Amino acid sequence: MRLKGLESIREGDVLAKPVYDDKCQLLLAKDAVLTESYIHRLSQANVQCVYIEDELSQGLEFENVIPDTLKIKSINTIKQAFKTLSERKSATYTVGNIDAIKDVIESLMSAIYANKDTLFCMTELMGTDMYTYNHSAEVAILSMMVAKSMGFNNLFIEKIGMGALLHDIGKMKIDSSIVHKNSELTEDEYEEMKKHPQLGYDLMKEIYNISPISRQIILLHHEKLNGVGYPLGLEESDIPVHVRVVTICDIFNAITSSRSYKKKMNADEALEVLRVESVYELDREIYHHLMKVANIYPAGTLVELSNGQLAIVVKENKEAQTRPVVQIVKSGKRAEVLDLMEHLTLFVSRTVDF
Ligand SMILES: [Fe+2]
C-alpha cells in the first residue's frame, strides 16, 4: 500500500484502507475500486489523500501502533468532548466526558505497550474537516510514545496524553470561519487564533478530574524555549518538560498533515525543520526521542536515491531510520532490493510524490 494525493487518484485505483466521513462513519471500505462517483464523494468529504494498493506497492504493509478502529473511536470521543466541554453543559456531563477521554487514553496506552517496537506513522483516514480531532488524537499518541521513550512513568504519560488530546480545545471558542479557513490567516485572524491556549485553559479550570499537568499543556503548548511563543512568552526552565513534549509533537504532526491550503511535508522534511528549530526554540533531547519513535520512511514510500535512481521503501530500519531497505524501481516495476545499511555510499535524497 502507499499514500496517494487525491489529485493523482485515478478510476480503478483500489483503496488499501477504509475512509471515514466527519461523523466517523464509513465512507468507503477497504478494497473499494474507485469510480468517478467515489472520487467525487471523497472530494466532497474534503479527503486529501488515501491509501491505495497498486502494482508498485503490492505486498507492502506498514504496521501502525494504533489500530484504525481504536483511532476512530478516539477521534469520536474527542469530537464529542470538544463539543460538550465548550458548550459548558452541567458539571456531571463534563466529568463524564473527561472519564470517557481517560478510557481512550488507557486504550491508547495499552496499544502503545502491546506494540512496543512499532513506530508512529500518520494515517489520515478522514477529510480535513476532521482535522482538529484527528490531529489531537495523533499528537496524543505521538506524545505518549515520546514520553515512554524518555522513560517517564505510566501515570505521568497518561497525564501528558490527556493534555495532548485536549491541547487545542480552546479553538472551539474561536470563530469557526477562522479555525476552518482554507487559506492562510491574516494578521488579525492570527492574533485571534493565538487566544486558543488561554481560552482552552479557562474552559478546563474548574474541572476537577483533570490534572494540573494536562492543564499546563493546554495553556503553554505554543511557548518556545527562546521566549518567542505565546500566550506568556515564557523561556527555557519556565517551560515544563511535559509541555515541551507536546509542543514538538504538535508541530511535527501539523506540518506532516495535509490541510487544504498547504502541501504536507514528508516526515523526513519535517524532522529536518524541527532539527533546525530545536537549536533555539525546541528541546533538542526531545527531538531525538521523536526521531526514534516516528516512522520517517514507511513501507510503500517512493524515494529518490542519491544516485538519482527511484526506489520504493520495503522495510524500515529501526536502528537507523534514514537508511531503510529499498527496492529499485525500473520502468514502473520493482527490481533489485538494497539494504541502505549495507550500501553506505547511497542515501535517500528525497521522497517522491506521484
Ligand atoms: Fe494549538
Side-chain angles (χ1 to χ4, degrees), residues 135 167-168 171 196-197 221-222 230 250:
H135 170 69
H167 75 280
D168 270 344
K171 287 189 180 169
H196 78 271
H221 70 273
H222 284 288
Y230 59 89
D250 179 24

Side-chain angles (χ1 to χ4, degrees), residues 152-171:
F152 294 136
N153 69 51
N154 287 7
L155 207 58
F156 193 52
I157 298 176
E158 282 178 16
K159 287 170 183 168
I160 292 179
M162 176 69 124
L165 267 186
L166 296 171
H167 75 280
D168 270 344
I169 191 156
K171 287 189 180 169

Side-chain angles (χ1 to χ4, degrees), residues 29-313:
K30 178 179 180 301
D31 296 329
V33 181
L34 295 179
T35 58
E36 201 185 326
S37 81
Y38 281 174
I39 296 173
H40 181 68
R41 218 195 280 181
L42 291 171
S43 106
Q44 291 292 93
N46 217 9
V47 172
Q48 299 291 306
C49 42
V50 290
Y51 289 89
I52 58 134
E53 209 65 84
D54 64 1
E55 203 188 332
L56 196 59
S57 62
Q58 204 177 24
L60 300 180
E61 297 279 332
F62 63 81
E63 256 188 285
N64 213 348
V65 204
I66 308 294
D68 291 346
T69 42
L70 175 55
K71 194 167 161 206
I72 296 292
K73 186 184 160 214
S74 315
I75 292 172
N76 234 335
T77 313
I78 302 164
K79 191 180 173 195
Q80 195 56 37
F82 269 44
K83 237 176 125 258
T84 46
L85 290 170
S86 66
E87 283 165 359
R88 282 179 180 273
K89 293 204 174 167
S90 71
T92 8
Y93 214 87
T94 307
V95 168
N97 260 289
I98 297 291
D99 283 344
I101 293 189
K102 280 185 177 158
D103 287 345
V104 164
I105 296 284
E106 268 173 36
S107 312
L108 295 177
M109 278 286 275
S110 322
I112 289 171
Y113 276 85
N115 305 312
K116 62 179 182 346
D117 289 328
T118 317
L119 300 167
F120 172 86
C121 192
M122 297 264 307
T123 50
E124 293 181 279
L125 301 166
M126 15 180 84
T128 50
D129 296 344
M130 293 294 280
Y131 174 76
T132 304
Y133 312 114
N134 189 56
H135 170 69
S136 304
E138 298 220 316
V139 175
I141 295 161
L142 195 52
S143 300
M144 290 195 285
M145 290 179 74
V146 167
K148 179 172 169 273
S149 159
M150 293 172 79
F152 294 136
N153 69 51
N154 287 7
L155 207 58
F156 193 52
I157 298 176
E158 282 178 16
K159 287 170 183 168
I160 292 179
M162 176 69 124
L165 267 186
L166 296 171
H167 75 280
D168 270 344
I169 191 156
K171 287 189 180 169
M172 299 302 284
K173 287 283 165 195
I174 292 183
D175 194 334
S176 73
S177 64
I178 298 179
V179 178
H180 297 119
K181 195 176 169 193
N182 280 340
S183 51
E184 243 168 296
L185 299 182
T186 64
E187 214 164 296
D188 285 350
E189 288 166 340
Y190 184 53
E191 284 308 311
E192 191 57 27
M193 192 67 146
K194 277 164 74 176
K195 293 180 184 163
H196 78 271
Q198 184 68 55
L199 290 169
Y201 182 77
D202 292 344
L203 274 174
M204 292 294 126
K205 223 166 27 193
E206 293 143 26
I207 297 169
Y208 74 86
N209 60 344
I210 173 165
S211 145
I213 288 169
S214 314
R215 283 190 208 149
Q216 264 185 330
I217 291 171
I218 298 170
L219 181 65
L220 303 176
H221 70 273
H222 284 288
E223 298 290 347
K224 300 282 172 61
L225 297 185
N226 57 351
V228 300
Y230 59 89
L232 305 175
L234 299 183
E235 282 181 43
E236 295 280 342
S237 56
D238 290 331
I239 307 173
V241 68
H242 46 273
V243 173
R244 298 179 189 202
V245 168
V246 177
T247 302
I248 202 160
C249 296
D250 179 24
I251 302 175
F252 176 76
N253 190 256
I255 58 183
T256 51
S257 310
S258 42
R259 300 192 66 181
S260 35
Y261 64 88
K262 68 171 180 67
K263 203 172 163 1
K264 80 186 198 117
M265 236 181 242
N266 296 309
D268 54 342
E269 296 167 316
L271 283 174
E272 185 53 27
V273 169
L274 293 185
R275 191 183 65 77
V276 175
E277 285 189 15
S278 69
V279 176
Y280 300 109
E281 299 190 354
L282 303 169
D283 189 306
R284 223 174 164 71
E285 192 197 326
I286 300 175
Y287 167 79
H288 289 296
H289 285 281
L290 173 65
M291 274 206 66
K292 273 195 234 163
V293 303
N295 199 350
I296 309 178
Y297 301 117
T301 308
L302 192 68
V303 295
E304 189 183 290
L305 300 179
S306 48
N307 61 1
Q309 274 186 311
L310 275 186
I312 190 156
V313 176

